[in-house]
Amino acid sequence: MELSGIFVAVGVVLLVVVCWFGFYYLANSPMLSPEATAKVVGNCGDTMEMSLRIRDDRVEKTRYSSDGCSISQQCIEAAAMLAQGKTIEEVRKINMMHVIDIVGDLPDSHLHCAQLAETTLQHAIGDYVQKQRRMS
């Protein structure tokens, strides 16, 4: 392979990587000025973050992330899906069993992922309620 062929191959790979990360960022851009946020680190070391846009005491939009395993990511996504479109009081009733119902049976070693997702969601709702009290 000639030197120019190597440069072309490296350029193509670099272009694919840049496009992939650009698309990922656009599809998962951070929420600007969310009404509620939470960042919780579990005992396992996984971190989950959730931001909520709330209008008329109803969750209008969610953004979430986790630096944990795929099960951890599925659990925080399930918690966000469960909260979408619900009132604050309805979201307060969401627990880890609801998350497990969406994700499916979890091995005992990963039940903490559903618990962490529940905790993150409830901390975000707590953040919203606390901000509302300060504004009153």
Side-chain angles (χ1 to χ4, degrees):
M1 184 180 252
E2 292 183 30
L3 191 57
S4 62
I6 293 172
F7 283 127
V8 168
V10 169
V12 168
V13 169
L14 185 61
L15 181 64
V16 168
V17 168
V18 168
C19 289
W20 179 266
F21 283 110
F23 176 74
Y24 179 83
Y25 179 79
L26 290 174
N28 298 298
S29 59
M31 185 181 292
L32 301 176
S33 302
E35 282 73 33
T37 60
K39 180 177 182 178
V40 180
V41 179
N43 294 338
C44 59
D46 291 357
T47 301
M48 290 186 181
E49 294 183 59
M50 185 173 287
S51 299
L52 305 174
R53 170 136 321 117
I54 300 171
R55 298 283 185 255
D56 301 322
D57 274 350
R58 189 171 293 275
V59 177
E60 182 179 87
K61 191 174 187 179
T62 60
R63 286 283 188 258
Y64 54 88
S65 67
S66 173
D67 65 1
C69 64
S70 64
I71 294 174
S72 181
Q73 293 171 7
Q74 290 172 6
C75 288
I76 192 67
E77 181 178 2
M81 286 175 24
L82 286 164
Q84 188 79 28
K86 296 214 173 40
T87 65
I88 300 304
E89 289 308 312
E90 290 171 329
V91 173
R92 284 182 175 208
K93 295 176 185 173
I94 295 172
N95 62 39
M96 70 181 280
M97 297 312 295
H98 296 113
V99 172
I100 291 171
D101 286 343
I102 299 290
V103 175
D105 289 333
L106 296 175
D108 290 345
S109 61
H110 284 86
L111 290 174
H112 69 278
C113 297
Q115 180 65 51
L116 184 57
E118 173 193 344
T119 302
T120 305
L121 175 61
Q122 296 306 327
H123 280 214
I125 291 300
D127 179 55
Y128 173 74
V129 169
Q130 188 177 44
K131 287 176 181 175
Q132 294 303 303
R133 285 185 186 145
R134 275 188 254 148
M135 291 174 58
S136 299

